[in-house]
């Protein structure tokens, strides 16, 4: 059974489209379980009905025509219960419904299992038999496993509109649009053309892309094949003396595959069909891989890896020979499975309208960058059919996390209206630029900007920020080929300190590790967020820390607006050691005759242990800055980049709210100022709570600044404290968010937390 299961799962994963996956399943399952019928029903939310989508055993004519209302029939019973229903004699069950056109009169045994994706029932998989007997435990678990595999394919098909298209062919279909859901990454709404980006040499991630110059594509493909042939011939002769003959034969097999008609011929066929060379190559290679993997012979099935490897080699040449600068659409929505900060940085700012990534969450660094650039971002859109949506019209709603691929005119019109309202709201907000962030009852909360991208200083300056509350120094480290030297760093820091003087600037010492890697300082760890990160690295490498500290202090000479912030402090000795190093850097500079002033020193409170030791830390520093991004991830044990658990990641979780409150109280008890510099500071709903707790300042991406200012200017400290009192009694994040959002709508500030005004 296990082997059959493996084969079916593989066949479903490799199926070209949903129709093919469904028909593979019904045929193979019927055969494997020796049943008389296997059918798949799909939930049609628009019609509130279950539709028969594929069957082996019932009348094939009934596909698309048998429809069961959501509250009728055994199929619906399975869907509402969201668990298997296993009956020996189905016609005797009170929910049984008989459909004459399906020809199911003779079947007694009934087993239905729900097809569930992320807690949502998408359809029902059913087997039926003539024998009036219940199905065995093994049959039930077998069918559940198949259904769980089918769920992913179905969710994908729903997201790409494929299911809608299938349903559309049916006369009962009513026009409705289902958006695809992701997580809100950066606020705003955008409509534009998708551009799918992918890591170089990742064959599976290559999207389909239409081409006009077919002959040029074929030529490029032939050239790549030729290059790979030369490469393999070279490797083969180089290794001829050292490899045993049977291993060397692998290269001959590669050459045979390259020369053979099937690989080239099929790829060229796909190109002639209008797909570009890389997409055509992906189609051919994946087809061949599937063919080999499906073979029962273990030797042949392992050859699938060789074919894939060959595909990668061809792709590498195709990409280098064919390298053309990417042509970004006028209104680009950047789409990808894993969008890196540098992919985002490559898009001309004037063309970038939005970002949609199938991985990551609100606090991934790509989302932080999108926010800094003021464009909406949707993260963790897991069901995004990335390879099939290049060059399509897309609407991205960064408030709700909804994405519409090729939306119909009605949706487009609605979003165009919302975008217009957004623009109005933004210009109204811009008018607040030079106004102070003071509540109606006179509490002033300075608002600082988070930055780190050099090109990012201008928006921060223009946003009316009272200074820089968090300068992430790792970004300039990340875009270089080696550690920047002291003078190079001095230039970078001097530019920011000078641009903002006399306003304060907080430079954070290097916080690499976790999801921020330096290309020239690789760290390989099983669990990088719990590993060698931030201050842990720089204390182990005092040479890096001292150079950075010296550069920072020198950059502040004559300006004296520098504060130094230490990331990832989890113990008191770490802070003590870091302070000794800072003192050393200072003493050295004084000895060298440089007229430096001692900067203020603060710690990030972003690890739970730091919350519990806030009193001990507060005694030793000049200020606290709460890093809610990491604090949330570490308190809730939810990886901030993992889309699978992203729904659990919420900075309004009561544990996080209480931890922040406790930190603020400790800071107050020790008379040091405390700020929040995590993404929570830019979340209008959370800002009210932070004011109620007595936060001294907030630091956020420049694009959130005027929104937050508006919230502050329209609220009173007294009201914020009342809200906080209520929230502190609540027991889950959703209740808290709901409560805060409803207060926002009541106060006429809904436009700050959703699309529109
Ligand atoms: C944080 O953790 O909240 C923070 C501001 O730092 P980063 O996002 O750079 O880890
Ligand atoms: Mg952090």
């Amino acid at each position: 059974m296990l082997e059959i299961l493996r084969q079916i799962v593989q066949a479903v994963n490799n199926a070209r489209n949903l129709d093919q996956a469904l028909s593979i399943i019904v045929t193979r399952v019927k055969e494997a379980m020796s049943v008389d019928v296997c059918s798949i029903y799909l939930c049609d939310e628009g019609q509130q009905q279950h539709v028969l989508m594929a069957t082996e055993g019932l009348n094939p004519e009934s596909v698309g025509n048998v429809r069961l209302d959501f509250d009728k029939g055994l199929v619906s019973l399975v869907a509402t219960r969201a668990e298997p229903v296993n009956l020996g004699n189905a016609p005797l069950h009170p929910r049984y419904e008989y459909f004459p056109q399906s020809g199911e009169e003779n079947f007694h045994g009934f087993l239905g299992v729900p097809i569930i994706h992320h807690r949502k029932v998408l359809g029902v998989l059913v087997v039926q038999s003539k024998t009036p007997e219940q199905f065995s435990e093994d049959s039930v678990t077998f069918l559940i496993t198949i259904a769980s595999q089918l769920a992913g394919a179905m969710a994908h098909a729903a997201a790409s509109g494929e299911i809608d298209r299938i349903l559309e062919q049916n006369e009962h279909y009513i026009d409705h649009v289902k958006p695809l859901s992701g997580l809100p990454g950066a606020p705003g709404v955008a409509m534009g053309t998708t551009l799918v980006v992918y890591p170089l040499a990742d064959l599976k991630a290559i999207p389909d892309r239409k081409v006009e110059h077919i002959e040029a594509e074929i030529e490029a493909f032939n050239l790549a094949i030729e290059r790979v042939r030369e490469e393999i011939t070279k490797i083969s002769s180089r290794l001829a003396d050292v490899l045993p003959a049977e291993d060397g034969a692998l290269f001959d097999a590669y050459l045979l595959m390259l020369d053979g008609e099937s690989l080239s011929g099929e790829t060229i066929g796909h190109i002639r069909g209008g797909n570009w060379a890389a997409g055509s190559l992906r189609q051919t290679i994946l087809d061949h891989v599937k063919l080999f993997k499906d073979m029962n012979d273990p030797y042949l099935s392992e050859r699938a890896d060789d074919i894939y490897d060959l595909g990668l080699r061809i792709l590498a040449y195709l990409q280098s020979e064919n390298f053309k600068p990417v042509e970004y659409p006028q209104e680009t929505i950047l789409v990808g499975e894993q969008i890196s900060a540098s992919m985002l940085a490559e898009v001309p700012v004037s063309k970038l309208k939005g970002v949609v990534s199938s991985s990551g969450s609100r606090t991934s660094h790509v989302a932080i960058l999108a926010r800094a650039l003021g464009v909406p971002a949707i993260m963790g859109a897991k069901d995004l059919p990335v390879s099939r949506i290049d060059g399509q019209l897309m609407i991205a709603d960064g408030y709700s996390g909804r994405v519409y691929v090729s939306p119909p005119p009605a949706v487009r019109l609605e979003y165009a209206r919302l975008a217009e309202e957004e623009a109005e709201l933004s210009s109204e907000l811009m008018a607040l630029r030079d106004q102070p962030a003071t509540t109606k009852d006179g509490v002033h909360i300075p608002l600082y900007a988070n930055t780190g991208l050099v090109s990012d200083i201008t928006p921060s300056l223009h946003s009316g920020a009272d200074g820089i509350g968090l300068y992430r120094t790792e970004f300039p480290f990340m875009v270089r080929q080696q550690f920047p030297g002291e003078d190079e760093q001095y230039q970078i820091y001097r530019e920011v300190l000078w641009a903002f003087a006399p306003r304060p600037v907080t430079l954070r010492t290097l916080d690499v590790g976790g999801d921020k890697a330096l290309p020239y300082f690789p760290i390989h760890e099983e669990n990088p967020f719990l590993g060698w990160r931030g201050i842990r690295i720089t204390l182990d490498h005092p040479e890096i820390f001292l150079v950075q500290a010296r550069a920072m202090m020198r950059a502040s000479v004559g300006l004296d607006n520098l504060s130094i912030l230490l990331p990832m402090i989890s113990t008191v000795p770490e802070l003590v050691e870091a302070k000794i190093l800072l003192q050393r850097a200072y003493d050295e500079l004084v000895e060298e005759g440089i007229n430096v002033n001692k900067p203020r020193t603060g710690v990030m409170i972003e690890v739970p242990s730091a919350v519990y030791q806030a009193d001990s830390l507060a005694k030793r520093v000049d200020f606290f800055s709460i890093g809610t991004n990491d604090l949330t991830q570490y308190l809730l044990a939810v990886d901030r980049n993992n889309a699978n658990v992203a729904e659990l990641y919420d900075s309004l979780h009561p544990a996080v709210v209480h931890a922040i409150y406790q930190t603020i109280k400790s800071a107050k008890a020790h008379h040091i100022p405390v700020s929040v510099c995590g993404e929570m500071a830019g979340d209008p709903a959370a800002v009210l709570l932070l004011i109620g707790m007595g936060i001294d300042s907030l630091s956020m991406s420049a694009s959130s600044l005027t929104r937050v200012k508006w919230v502050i200017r329209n609220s009173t400290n007294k009201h914020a404290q009342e809200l906080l009192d209520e929230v502190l009694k609540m027991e889950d994040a959703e209740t808290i968010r709901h409560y805060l959002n409803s207060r926002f709508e009541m106060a006429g500030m809904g436009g700050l937390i959703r699309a529109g005004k």
Side-chain angles (χ1 to χ4, degrees):
M1 222 47 169
L2 204 64
E3 183 50 27
I4 296 172
L5 197 61
R6 198 188 63 78
Q7 284 177 11
I8 298 181
V9 166
Q10 195 137 45
V12 170
N13 286 344
N14 290 328
R16 243 178 245 265
N17 52 34
L18 185 68
D19 254 351
Q20 199 185 39
L22 298 184
S23 77
I24 292 171
I25 287 185
V26 289
T27 319
R28 299 256 190 120
V29 169
K30 177 172 176 273
E31 191 183 286
M33 292 178 73
S34 308
V35 288
D36 300 301
V37 175
C38 178
S39 313
I40 295 168
Y41 296 81
L42 182 89
C43 299
D44 180 351
E45 299 280 348
Q47 295 291 309
Q48 294 281 294
Q49 285 177 328
H50 290 108
V51 199
L52 178 66
M53 294 294 284
T55 185
E56 193 64 38
L58 296 184
N59 178 2
E61 299 278 298
S62 55
V63 169
N65 292 318
V66 164
R67 289 184 154 260
L68 302 147
D69 287 345
F70 271 180
D71 56 352
K72 291 208 181 101
L74 291 173
V75 167
S76 308
L77 186 67
V78 178
T80 26
R81 283 197 186 162
E83 62 180 353
V85 170
N86 185 359
L87 303 171
N89 205 339
L92 297 183
H93 194 281
R95 284 284 289 258
Y96 179 78
E97 290 264 333
Y98 171 57
F99 275 84
Q101 73 264 48
S102 67
E104 63 172 350
E105 51 272 28
N106 295 324
F107 305 116
H108 297 278
F110 174 99
L111 170 60
V113 300
I115 302 165
I116 301 181
H117 186 70
H118 289 291
R119 304 187 185 184
K120 191 163 181 269
V121 179
L122 303 178
V124 177
L125 175 60
V126 174
V127 289
Q128 291 171 278
S129 70
K130 289 184 178 156
T131 343
E133 254 176 44
Q134 271 202 330
F135 287 85
S136 69
E137 176 87 5
D138 277 354
S139 301
V140 179
T141 49
F142 178 79
L143 213 58
I144 289 176
T145 316
I146 299 280
S148 69
Q149 291 300 318
L150 181 56
M154 265 200 177
H156 244 225
S160 67
E162 197 183 340
I163 288 193
D164 285 347
R165 280 193 292 278
I166 297 172
L167 290 173
E168 208 171 346
Q169 293 157 9
N170 190 286
E171 53 184 311
H172 303 286
Y173 178 79
I174 293 177
D175 185 29
H176 67 279
V177 189
K178 277 194 223 86
L180 160 74
S181 304
L183 305 159
V189 284
M191 182 150 62
T193 309
T194 55
L195 184 100
V196 175
V197 285
Y198 49 89
L200 279 182
D202 181 355
L203 193 61
K204 286 200 191 102
I206 302 283
D208 289 337
R209 198 166 272 174
K210 280 203 175 59
V211 278
E212 280 171 19
H213 304 294
I214 291 189
E215 293 309 321
E217 288 297 301
I218 296 178
E219 201 178 310
F221 172 70
N222 284 335
L223 195 64
I225 293 268
E226 193 46 48
R227 289 284 144 83
V228 175
R229 185 179 294 119
E230 284 165 17
E231 178 187 293
I232 291 176
T233 315
K234 251 193 238 155
I235 301 175
S236 163
S237 60
R238 195 153 26 90
L239 297 179
D241 298 336
V242 283
L243 272 187
E246 62 270 27
D247 290 339
L250 172 69
F251 297 107
D252 297 338
Y254 272 26
L255 289 174
L256 276 176
M257 283 191 254
L258 280 176
D259 292 336
E261 232 325 275
S262 61
L263 204 152
S264 281
E266 279 177 35
T267 308
I268 291 173
H270 294 315
I271 300 176
R272 292 211 183 280
N275 200 359
W276 66 323
S280 302
L281 176 71
R282 186 209 71 226
Q283 263 177 291
T284 311
I285 296 290
L286 294 188
D287 277 353
H288 283 241
V289 165
K290 168 181 169 321
L291 211 73
F292 273 82
K293 281 231 158 106
D294 280 353
M295 290 182 182
N296 283 326
D297 181 314
Y299 176 80
L300 286 177
S301 129
E302 283 198 4
R303 299 286 66 76
D305 293 343
D306 299 336
I307 293 174
Y308 195 75
D309 179 50
L310 198 59
L312 283 181
R313 283 168 193 272
I314 303 170
L315 181 68
Y317 278 105
L318 209 49
Q319 282 173 334
S320 63
E321 296 289 336
N322 218 4
F323 181 78
K324 292 188 209 91
V326 182
E327 276 183 34
Y328 295 98
Q330 221 37 47
E331 321 239 277
T332 299
I333 298 198
L334 203 67
V335 174
E337 284 191 353
Q338 207 153 23
I339 301 178
S340 67
S342 56
M343 286 171 178
L344 187 66
E346 272 170 33
V347 190
V349 176
S350 62
K351 292 188 171 176
L352 182 69
K353 295 292 170 256
V355 182
V356 179
S357 167
S358 51
S359 61
S361 74
R362 185 183 151 76
T363 49
S364 298
H365 285 94
V366 172
I368 292 175
L369 283 188
R371 230 164 298 143
L373 296 169
V375 297
I378 286 96
M379 308 297 292
K382 283 191 292 274
D383 300 323
L384 198 68
V386 172
S387 66
R388 282 181 275 145
I389 54 170
D390 188 58
Q392 295 201 23
L393 188 76
M394 178 182 268
I395 288 173
D397 180 341
Y399 294 99
S400 63
R402 281 194 207 113
V403 177
Y404 296 84
V405 182
S406 302
V411 177
R412 273 185 252 168
L413 268 175
E414 176 61 11
Y415 269 87
R417 187 185 64 74
L418 290 174
E420 221 166 87
E421 287 193 3
E422 281 279 308
E424 271 173 41
L425 181 63
S426 294
S427 58
E428 278 171 29
L429 291 175
M430 242 5 240
L432 297 181
R433 214 191 78 141
D434 299 318
Q435 304 291 322
T438 307
T439 62
K440 284 189 192 159
D441 49 358
V443 176
H444 180 56
I445 317 270
L447 300 185
Y448 301 121
N450 288 352
T451 184
L453 284 175
V454 177
S455 61
D456 195 24
I457 293 181
T458 326
S460 307
L461 272 170
H462 288 164
S463 65
D466 294 308
I468 295 290
L470 169 65
Y471 184 95
R472 293 180 163 98
T473 59
E474 50 277 7
F475 282 120
F477 277 68
M478 276 155 82
V479 294
R480 284 177 170 69
Q481 301 306 314
Q482 58 193 30
F483 282 108
E486 184 177 317
D487 286 341
E488 203 176 350
Q489 289 189 51
Y490 163 83
Q491 294 292 350
I492 299 168
Y493 307 146
R494 180 79 187 172
E495 198 182 325
V496 202
L497 288 159
W498 188 82
F500 279 88
R503 289 171 281 178
V505 171
T506 302
L507 300 180
R508 184 172 71 181
T509 64
L510 193 63
D511 181 23
V512 289
D515 67 342
K516 287 177 285 190
L518 297 180
Y520 46 89
F521 189 71
I523 304 168
H524 298 292
E525 292 179 313
E526 288 262 320
N527 226 332
F529 273 114
L530 299 183
W532 206 39
R533 199 194 150 186
I535 200 77
R536 300 171 184 179
I537 295 182
T538 46
L539 288 180
D540 286 350
H541 282 277
E543 77 286 12
I544 298 176
F545 190 87
L546 284 168
V547 166
Q548 186 171 39
R550 286 173 52 100
M552 287 176 173
M553 290 183 208
R554 275 177 54 203
S556 172
V557 170
L559 301 171
D560 294 329
N561 55 344
L562 166 71
S563 298
I564 292 183
L565 180 59
L566 304 167
M568 283 293 291
I569 293 284
S570 61
T571 69
V572 172
E574 278 170 347
L575 172 59
V576 173
E577 256 186 84
K579 282 186 65 184
I580 292 172
L581 288 178
L582 288 176
Q583 181 68 39
R584 226 170 92 189
Y586 171 78
D587 292 343
E588 281 171 18
L589 291 170
V590 172
E591 253 173 51
E592 288 164 29
I594 301 173
N595 191 14
V596 283
N597 274 334
K598 242 189 173 169
R600 294 163 73 243
T601 308
V603 281
M604 297 273 304
I605 303 292
E606 55 181 344
V607 178
S609 60
V611 174
Y612 289 102
Q613 289 210 285
D615 285 329
S616 309
L617 297 172
K619 281 191 276 188
R620 295 170 167 87
V621 291
D622 303 310
F623 66 97
F624 275 172
S625 191
I626 306 177
T628 48
N629 305 341
D630 279 314
L631 189 58
T632 305
Q633 112 164 319
Y634 293 126
L635 266 176
L636 306 184
V638 178
D639 179 343
R640 63 197 261 189
N641 284 317
N642 183 341
N644 282 331
V645 286
E647 272 159 32
L648 295 173
Y649 184 102
D650 197 332
S651 298
L652 288 179
H653 187 294
V656 183
V657 171
H658 285 272
I660 295 170
Y661 195 26
Q662 186 175 325
T663 307
I664 294 176
K665 285 193 278 192
S666 290
K668 301 254 168 235
H670 293 270
H671 309 290
I672 59 164
V674 52
S675 167
V676 167
C677 67
E679 297 310 301
M680 191 181 190
D683 176 351
V687 163
L688 285 180
L689 283 188
L690 297 172
I691 297 173
M693 292 180 191
I695 198 77
D696 294 302
S697 62
L698 297 166
S699 190
M700 66 207 74
S701 69
S703 61
S704 307
L705 222 127
T706 46
R707 281 168 195 271
V708 169
K709 194 179 277 186
W710 205 57
V711 173
I712 295 175
R713 290 175 60 84
N714 282 286
S715 313
T716 60
N717 188 36
K718 185 167 166 287
H719 181 226
Q721 282 174 356
E722 285 162 9
L723 284 185
L724 175 68
D725 287 343
E726 286 308 308
V727 164
L728 288 176
K729 292 180 213 151
M730 296 176 183
E731 292 179 328
D732 66 90
E734 206 183 312
T735 313
I736 296 178
R737 192 166 289 281
H738 216 82
Y739 174 74
L740 293 174
N741 286 352
S742 66
R743 296 290 129 156
F744 256 79
E745 291 288 356
M746 277 159 64
M749 298 196 273
L752 297 181
I753 48 172
R754 53 156 168 77
K757 240 176 121 176

